[in-house]
Amino acid sequence: MNDVASIGSMATLTRHAMGDPDADGFFGEFGGRYVPEPLMGACQQVEDAFREAWASDEFRAEYLRLLVDYAGRPSPLTECSNLGRDLGLRLLLKREDLNHTGSHKINNVLGQALLAKRMGKTRLIAETGAGQHGVATATAAALLDMECAVYMGEVDMQRQALNVFRMKLLGAEVIPALSGSRTLKDAVNEAMRAWVSEVEDTHYCLGSVMGPHPYPWMVRSFHEIIGTEAHAQCQRLLGGLPDLAVACVGGGSNAAGLFAGFANEPSVRLVGVEPAGGAAVGRGIPAVVHGMKAYFLQDEVGQIVEAESISAGLDYPGIGPEHSFLADAGRAEYYPVTDDQVVEAFQLLARREGIIPALESAHALAWVVQEKEQLAGKTVLINLSGRGDKDVAQIQERLEK
Ligand SMILES: *Cc1c(COP(=O)(O)O)cnc(C)c1O
């Protein structure tokens, strides 16, 4: 199982699991490419290169080899017997926390970094909020011998000083975003602005299923390995499918990767869990931001509102266009959970299963705990998007204050 050939053949199975966007990059009414003229060409170049590479057996083999030999795929599927018994359901975790760099993010950055090389680029830029995507991008740049610059809100740089140092250790330059609220959405704006003048040698490695076409589609494609593996692993373990596939949603990349493996299975409910303070599907309105049309949290005059959540990795005020579409189409459901529920779920998984999850991932478990009566007897698959080492100090402060 642990070899490139078997993963490779699985990865071919779901080539079009969730459907491609239309020629202009729309999933229904969402998505598109709303960028200034100079970035149109850059996005088109990325799209052309991605289409060509994704159809190439040689590119896929190289990508899958990195996922296996470097990132440690396939990630295991773990059955949680203790917690499952407590909750009265069958609980399975897809262990993206065990990937190199500690989350699903490596799947996407390895794909994009390889693509950038193939395009003849020598430099990667990225935005980061909590720093996880910045660290993953800096890692891929080090591996593939590329230069790297990461845009990060000045406020986030103070809050996540350790990740700033990690990126520097990995050889990346960290550039403070000084505009607006000096957080993630400003880092995205500044990275896009910088890309315009550097596009000759630089690829913009976007960190979630958002931004202008082809990013939402491309990033989802690089994460489909999560759902593809999970589908095969469930077949082997259960002899069938789970009743639900549940994932946390910031921009939506780990959820999109998981959902892609099950979207064609009508019996599987797809559930995305958002922080109550960033519930873009529940409380958002369609808007054009960061190059795409999607659901965003807005105030009365249409200004984008800051998302607020205990987990910095979910502090994005919007949700990707494909999720916006899946929500409207009723194929996937999205629900909010509160910070208190998340902290409880975080502790529960640690105590009952010996797994400390990322606070982001704990959102998915928090929803399952909340719904345990409704879910009694069901088989629930949760994407454990990342590990919680980064969050331990924050939780200690909260619990012991
Ligand atoms: C970045 C991050 C997320 C949120 O991003 P998505 O694009 O919504 O997946 C979730 N979990 C972890 C561990 C992360 O690092």
Side-chain angles (χ1 to χ4, degrees):
M1 190 51 217
N2 242 348
D3 62 85
V4 175
S6 63
I7 303 188
S9 60
M10 288 198 302
T12 1
L13 287 178
T14 51
R15 232 165 234 227
H16 298 290
M18 250 167 9
D20 293 347
D22 71 18
D24 297 319
F26 283 93
F27 301 92
E29 65 166 301
F30 300 103
R33 180 182 287 161
Y34 297 91
V35 293
E37 190 51 37
L39 278 188
M40 279 290 188
C43 291
Q44 186 63 48
Q45 196 192 17
V46 175
E47 182 191 338
D48 293 346
F50 174 67
R51 279 187 194 283
E52 181 275 326
W54 205 230
S56 151
D57 289 339
E58 174 221 6
F59 178 85
R60 278 177 176 253
E62 214 180 337
Y63 165 64
L64 289 167
R65 174 156 298 287
L66 285 185
L67 289 182
V68 171
D69 293 346
Y70 188 73
R73 302 205 72 92
S75 65
L77 186 74
T78 300
E79 171 141 28
C80 296
S81 308
N82 299 331
L83 194 47
R85 203 177 317 116
D86 296 352
L87 298 173
L89 45 84
R90 193 160 184 195
L91 185 64
L92 307 174
L93 300 181
K94 179 61 174 161
R95 302 292 305 279
E96 294 299 297
D97 60 316
L98 295 178
N99 294 332
H100 181 48
T101 68
S103 80
H104 66 291
K105 289 201 167 73
I106 195 81
N107 305 324
N108 170 44
V109 299
L110 287 176
Q112 286 199 51
L114 270 184
L115 185 71
K117 276 241 138 169
R118 198 177 172 90
M119 294 167 74
K121 311 278 177 182
T122 56
R123 186 167 173 269
L124 297 177
I125 58 171
E127 82 295 340
T128 200
Q132 299 303 108
H133 175 59
V135 168
T137 305
T139 299
L143 175 70
L144 296 180
D145 196 19
M146 302 176 84
E147 284 177 52
C148 183
V150 179
Y151 290 81
M152 188 170 189
E154 196 188 29
V155 170
D156 288 336
M157 281 179 74
Q158 284 157 11
R159 286 195 290 216
Q160 306 287 338
L162 201 57
N163 271 340
V164 173
F165 182 63
R166 276 197 188 100
M167 289 183 259
K168 289 180 178 165
L169 270 180
L170 292 159
E173 179 191 2
V174 183
I175 302 173
L178 302 171
S179 60
S181 55
R182 292 170 291 145
T183 57
L184 176 59
K185 71 174 169 45
D186 312 295
V188 176
N189 286 331
E190 296 202 12
M192 283 193 175
R193 213 171 297 143
W195 194 30
V196 175
S197 57
E198 299 163 352
V199 71
E200 193 69 27
D201 66 347
T202 299
H203 173 72
Y204 179 21
C205 182
L206 231 164
S208 191
V209 285
M210 46 161 287
H213 180 55
Y215 283 97
W217 171 51
M218 176 171 71
V219 174
R220 182 254 281 170
S221 301
F222 286 136
H223 281 303
E224 277 181 19
I225 190 78
I226 302 171
T228 305
E229 284 177 11
H231 188 283
Q233 289 167 320
C234 284
Q235 290 290 350
R236 212 170 319 129
L237 181 74
L238 310 168
L241 296 164
D243 298 302
L244 292 93
V246 185
C248 65
V249 175
S253 68
N254 87 88
L258 181 73
F259 291 178
F262 298 94
N264 289 339
E265 306 281 5
S267 71
V268 181
R269 272 177 75 187
L270 307 178
V271 175
V273 185
E274 298 185 276
V281 172
R283 298 194 288 119
I285 305 167
V288 173
V289 180
H290 292 152
M292 62 175 172
K293 183 175 177 192
Y295 279 113
F296 278 90
L297 292 176
Q298 296 163 64
D299 63 17
E300 312 77 50
V301 293
Q303 287 275 77
I304 301 306
V305 178
E306 286 292 300
E308 266 175 38
S309 153
I310 188 172
S311 68
L314 300 184
D315 270 359
Y316 187 67
I319 186 170
E322 192 170 22
H323 286 296
S324 301
F325 169 73
L326 290 172
D328 274 11
R331 177 62 190 97
E333 310 154 51
Y334 299 83
Y335 303 105
V337 292
T338 65
D339 287 353
D340 286 342
Q341 289 177 280
V342 171
V343 173
E344 199 186 309
F346 179 91
Q347 294 170 272
L348 200 57
L349 193 64
R351 213 178 304 129
R352 296 301 284 144
E353 298 292 339
I355 297 170
I356 300 179
L359 277 173
E360 291 86 352
S361 325
H363 283 69
L365 178 60
W367 181 81
V368 172
V369 171
Q370 173 190 296
E371 297 298 317
K372 66 177 186 233
E373 260 121 55
Q374 186 214 131
L375 301 178
K378 304 273 192 220
T379 299
V380 180
L381 168 64
I382 291 179
N383 196 33
L384 202 74
S385 56
R387 62 175 173 244
D389 310 37
K390 66 186 177 59
D391 301 315
V392 167
Q394 186 188 347
I395 294 298
Q396 182 188 22
E397 200 174 299
R398 186 177 172 116
L399 294 177
E400 294 183 351
K401 80 176 172 217

mmCIF file of all heavy atoms in Angstrom, residues 262-285:
data_model
loop_
_atom_site.group_PDB
_atom_site.id
_atom_site.type_symbol
_atom_site.label_atom_id
_atom_site.label_comp_id
_atom_site.label_asym_id
_atom_site.label_seq_id
_atom_site.Cartn_x
_atom_site.Cartn_y
_atom_site.Cartn_z
ATOM 1 N N PHE A 262 -15.709 11.754 -1.948
ATOM 2 C CA PHE A 262 -17.029 11.209 -1.615
ATOM 3 C C PHE A 262 -18.183 11.936 -2.304
ATOM 4 O O PHE A 262 -19.339 11.551 -2.155
ATOM 5 C CB PHE A 262 -17.238 11.238 -0.096
ATOM 6 C CG PHE A 262 -16.235 10.400 0.653
ATOM 7 C CD1 PHE A 262 -15.067 10.964 1.157
ATOM 8 C CD2 PHE A 262 -16.433 9.029 0.812
ATOM 9 C CE1 PHE A 262 -14.123 10.179 1.821
ATOM 10 C CE2 PHE A 262 -15.500 8.246 1.469
ATOM 11 C CZ PHE A 262 -14.335 8.821 1.979
ATOM 12 N N ALA A 263 -17.875 12.984 -3.053
ATOM 13 C CA ALA A 263 -18.935 13.805 -3.660
ATOM 14 C C ALA A 263 -19.820 12.998 -4.610
ATOM 15 O O ALA A 263 -20.998 13.294 -4.773
ATOM 16 C CB ALA A 263 -18.328 15.004 -4.379
ATOM 17 N N ASN A 264 -19.230 11.981 -5.212
ATOM 18 C CA ASN A 264 -20.005 11.156 -6.150
ATOM 19 C C ASN A 264 -20.772 10.032 -5.455
ATOM 20 O O ASN A 264 -21.356 9.187 -6.124
ATOM 21 C CB ASN A 264 -19.076 10.523 -7.198
ATOM 22 C CG ASN A 264 -18.557 11.559 -8.167
ATOM 23 O OD1 ASN A 264 -19.139 12.627 -8.323
ATOM 24 N ND2 ASN A 264 -17.445 11.252 -8.824
ATOM 25 N N GLU A 265 -20.721 10.005 -4.144
ATOM 26 C CA GLU A 265 -21.423 8.970 -3.375
ATOM 27 C C GLU A 265 -22.608 9.626 -2.667
ATOM 28 O O GLU A 265 -22.442 10.231 -1.605
ATOM 29 C CB GLU A 265 -20.475 8.346 -2.328
ATOM 30 C CG GLU A 265 -19.169 7.807 -2.880
ATOM 31 C CD GLU A 265 -19.331 6.437 -3.539
ATOM 32 O OE1 GLU A 265 -20.481 5.948 -3.659
ATOM 33 O OE2 GLU A 265 -18.296 5.858 -3.932
ATOM 34 N N PRO A 266 -23.808 9.498 -3.237
ATOM 35 C CA PRO A 266 -24.948 10.243 -2.685
ATOM 36 C C PRO A 266 -25.295 9.869 -1.248
ATOM 37 O O PRO A 266 -25.916 10.666 -0.538
ATOM 38 C CB PRO A 266 -26.105 9.893 -3.623
ATOM 39 C CG PRO A 266 -25.583 8.968 -4.649
ATOM 40 C CD PRO A 266 -24.140 8.703 -4.414
ATOM 41 N N SER A 267 -24.874 8.671 -0.798
ATOM 42 C CA SER A 267 -25.231 8.265 0.566
ATOM 43 C C SER A 267 -24.368 8.947 1.619
ATOM 44 O O SER A 267 -24.671 8.884 2.806
ATOM 45 C CB SER A 267 -25.097 6.739 0.708
ATOM 46 O OG SER A 267 -23.727 6.370 0.685
ATOM 47 N N VAL A 268 -23.290 9.592 1.203
ATOM 48 C CA VAL A 268 -22.373 10.201 2.173
ATOM 49 C C VAL A 268 -22.706 11.690 2.349
ATOM 50 O O VAL A 268 -22.622 12.473 1.401
ATOM 51 C CB VAL A 268 -20.897 10.043 1.725
ATOM 52 C CG1 VAL A 268 -19.954 10.661 2.767
ATOM 53 C CG2 VAL A 268 -20.559 8.577 1.501
ATOM 54 N N ARG A 269 -23.099 12.067 3.576
ATOM 55 C CA ARG A 269 -23.328 13.485 3.881
ATOM 56 C C ARG A 269 -21.990 14.192 3.994
ATOM 57 O O ARG A 269 -21.093 13.715 4.690
ATOM 58 C CB ARG A 269 -24.059 13.641 5.221
ATOM 59 C CG ARG A 269 -25.562 13.610 5.154
ATOM 60 C CD ARG A 269 -26.162 13.703 6.554
ATOM 61 N NE ARG A 269 -26.093 15.049 7.123
ATOM 62 C CZ ARG A 269 -26.427 15.344 8.395
ATOM 63 N NH1 ARG A 269 -26.827 14.383 9.223
ATOM 64 N NH2 ARG A 269 -26.352 16.588 8.841
ATOM 65 N N LEU A 270 -21.856 15.338 3.348
ATOM 66 C CA LEU A 270 -20.631 16.134 3.434
ATOM 67 C C LEU A 270 -20.903 17.321 4.352
ATOM 68 O O LEU A 270 -21.827 18.099 4.100
ATOM 69 C CB LEU A 270 -20.227 16.640 2.043
ATOM 70 C CG LEU A 270 -20.113 15.577 0.935
ATOM 71 C CD1 LEU A 270 -19.760 16.239 -0.402
ATOM 72 C CD2 LEU A 270 -19.070 14.525 1.303
ATOM 73 N N VAL A 271 -20.092 17.439 5.407
ATOM 74 C CA VAL A 271 -20.334 18.497 6.390
ATOM 75 C C VAL A 271 -19.074 19.332 6.602
ATOM 76 O O VAL A 271 -18.012 18.791 6.933
ATOM 77 C CB VAL A 271 -20.796 17.895 7.742
ATOM 78 C CG1 VAL A 271 -20.923 18.988 8.800
ATOM 79 C CG2 VAL A 271 -22.121 17.152 7.579
ATOM 80 N N GLY A 272 -19.177 20.638 6.424
ATOM 81 C CA GLY A 272 -18.091 21.571 6.704
ATOM 82 C C GLY A 272 -18.404 22.320 7.991
ATOM 83 O O GLY A 272 -19.543 22.734 8.199
ATOM 84 N N VAL A 273 -17.406 22.484 8.853
ATOM 85 C CA VAL A 273 -17.642 23.146 10.133
ATOM 86 C C VAL A 273 -16.816 24.426 10.207
ATOM 87 O O VAL A 273 -15.595 24.403 10.053
ATOM 88 C CB VAL A 273 -17.311 22.218 11.321
ATOM 89 C CG1 VAL A 273 -17.687 22.887 12.632
ATOM 90 C CG2 VAL A 273 -18.030 20.875 11.173
ATOM 91 N N GLU A 274 -17.509 25.529 10.436
ATOM 92 C CA GLU A 274 -16.862 26.838 10.507
ATOM 93 C C GLU A 274 -16.875 27.353 11.941
ATOM 94 O O GLU A 274 -17.741 26.985 12.727
ATOM 95 C CB GLU A 274 -17.631 27.854 9.644
ATOM 96 C CG GLU A 274 -17.679 27.530 8.164
ATOM 97 C CD GLU A 274 -18.357 28.654 7.397
ATOM 98 O OE1 GLU A 274 -19.589 28.686 7.314
ATOM 99 O OE2 GLU A 274 -17.628 29.515 6.885
ATOM 100 N N PRO A 275 -15.937 28.259 12.281
ATOM 101 C CA PRO A 275 -16.033 28.911 13.587
ATOM 102 C C PRO A 275 -17.250 29.833 13.597
ATOM 103 O O PRO A 275 -17.560 30.454 12.576
ATOM 104 C CB PRO A 275 -14.737 29.715 13.685
ATOM 105 C CG PRO A 275 -14.185 29.800 12.312
ATOM 106 C CD PRO A 275 -14.788 28.711 11.490
ATOM 107 N N ALA A 276 -17.938 29.912 14.732
ATOM 108 C CA ALA A 276 -19.135 30.765 14.812
ATOM 109 C C ALA A 276 -18.793 32.211 14.440
ATOM 110 O O ALA A 276 -19.602 32.907 13.828
ATOM 111 C CB ALA A 276 -19.731 30.689 16.211
ATOM 112 N N GLY A 277 -17.574 32.648 14.763
ATOM 113 C CA GLY A 277 -17.172 34.018 14.447
ATOM 114 C C GLY A 277 -16.693 34.206 13.016
ATOM 115 O O GLY A 277 -16.219 35.266 12.634
ATOM 116 N N GLY A 278 -16.803 33.161 12.201
ATOM 117 C CA GLY A 278 -16.379 33.282 10.807
ATOM 118 C C GLY A 278 -17.255 32.460 9.899
ATOM 119 O O GLY A 278 -16.796 31.907 8.902
ATOM 120 N N ALA A 279 -18.548 32.385 10.254
ATOM 121 C CA ALA A 279 -19.474 31.502 9.531
ATOM 122 C C ALA A 279 -19.912 32.133 8.211
ATOM 123 O O ALA A 279 -20.991 32.706 8.101
ATOM 124 C CB ALA A 279 -20.674 31.164 10.411
ATOM 125 N N ALA A 280 -19.062 32.014 7.201
ATOM 126 C CA ALA A 280 -19.304 32.692 5.930
ATOM 127 C C ALA A 280 -20.524 32.147 5.205
ATOM 128 O O ALA A 280 -21.223 32.883 4.509
ATOM 129 C CB ALA A 280 -18.071 32.579 5.037
ATOM 130 N N VAL A 281 -20.814 30.858 5.364
ATOM 131 C CA VAL A 281 -21.989 30.313 4.687
ATOM 132 C C VAL A 281 -23.259 30.722 5.429
ATOM 133 O O VAL A 281 -24.230 31.184 4.847
ATOM 134 C CB VAL A 281 -21.923 28.770 4.578
ATOM 135 C CG1 VAL A 281 -23.239 28.215 4.047
ATOM 136 C CG2 VAL A 281 -20.785 28.370 3.650
ATOM 137 N N GLY A 282 -23.231 30.577 6.755
ATOM 138 C CA GLY A 282 -24.422 30.899 7.535
ATOM 139 C C GLY A 282 -24.767 32.378 7.511
ATOM 140 O O GLY A 282 -25.917 32.760 7.365
ATOM 141 N N ARG A 283 -23.745 33.249 7.644
ATOM 142 C CA ARG A 283 -24.022 34.671 7.825
ATOM 143 C C ARG A 283 -23.477 35.536 6.695
ATOM 144 O O ARG A 283 -23.607 36.750 6.723
ATOM 145 C CB ARG A 283 -23.431 35.137 9.171
ATOM 146 C CG ARG A 283 -24.056 34.429 10.384
ATOM 147 C CD ARG A 283 -23.698 35.148 11.677
ATOM 148 N NE ARG A 283 -22.307 34.976 12.074
ATOM 149 C CZ ARG A 283 -21.429 35.967 12.216
ATOM 150 N NH1 ARG A 283 -21.778 37.205 11.994
ATOM 151 N NH2 ARG A 283 -20.186 35.709 12.572
ATOM 152 N N GLY A 284 -22.824 34.919 5.721
ATOM 153 C CA GLY A 284 -22.183 35.692 4.669
ATOM 154 C C GLY A 284 -23.117 36.037 3.516
ATOM 155 O O GLY A 284 -24.228 35.541 3.417
ATOM 156 N N ILE A 285 -22.622 36.921 2.632
ATOM 157 C CA ILE A 285 -23.351 37.369 1.450
ATOM 158 C C ILE A 285 -22.378 37.227 0.278
ATOM 159 O O ILE A 285 -21.189 37.504 0.436
ATOM 160 C CB ILE A 285 -23.745 38.861 1.594
ATOM 161 C CG1 ILE A 285 -24.534 39.087 2.897
ATOM 162 C CG2 ILE A 285 -24.548 39.339 0.390
ATOM 163 C CD1 ILE A 285 -24.666 40.558 3.251
#
